[in-house]
Amino acid sequence: MARTKLSPEFEIEVAGDPYMWRLHRQPGWSSDAPERHGMAIAVRHKEGQREAVIEFPPGPQPRYGAPLLKPSQVAPELVAKAIASAIVAGWDPLSRGKTVAIIVDSTGG
């Protein structure tokens, strides 16, 4: 049986509710066009099923050969603010349905 290599999930509390998040996409170059994209995190409520993918802007260009971003390098405050922004934008974490994509600024707002 093949093992899938998934990013580990981390627990975080936002407004008294427990959420699970993982690094969904590394910042880097887009395969569609010669442009860069920022990191994205996938978030779900601990008791919920509906996931949100929160996308951040690219940020400064990494230097050649720089190591990949590790989930432990993502600030918990940034994740918490991004989750709160996703809820304000209309994501209902306890509802059912398709994954929602939400774009935030570099501060998670």
Side-chain angles (χ1 to χ4, degrees):
M1 179 186 287
R3 290 180 58 188
T4 58
K5 188 175 180 181
L6 290 177
S7 189
E9 286 193 331
F10 299 93
E11 190 169 343
I12 191 166
E13 189 171 308
V14 178
D17 287 327
Y19 291 91
M20 302 301 290
W21 74 274
R22 63 183 164 77
L23 188 61
H24 182 71
R25 182 184 68 210
Q26 292 278 339
W29 294 97
S30 174
S31 60
D32 295 336
E35 60 184 46
R36 295 183 50 242
H37 56 75
M39 77 166 177
I41 59 172
V43 181
R44 65 177 174 80
H45 194 278
K46 195 167 185 179
E47 284 94 35
Q49 297 176 355
R50 191 169 194 190
E51 197 170 65
V53 174
I54 302 173
E55 301 178 17
F56 293 85
Q61 182 173 347
R63 59 183 199 277
Y64 181 74
L68 293 176
L69 177 69
K70 295 178 183 167
S72 59
Q73 294 173 315
V74 179
E77 298 82 22
L78 179 67
V79 174
K81 189 172 179 183
I83 293 171
S85 296
I87 293 169
V88 168
W91 174 52
D92 183 3
L94 295 175
S95 68
R96 294 176 25 166
K98 293 181 180 180
T99 300
V100 177
I102 298 169
I103 300 171
V104 296
D105 62 16
S106 60
T107 64

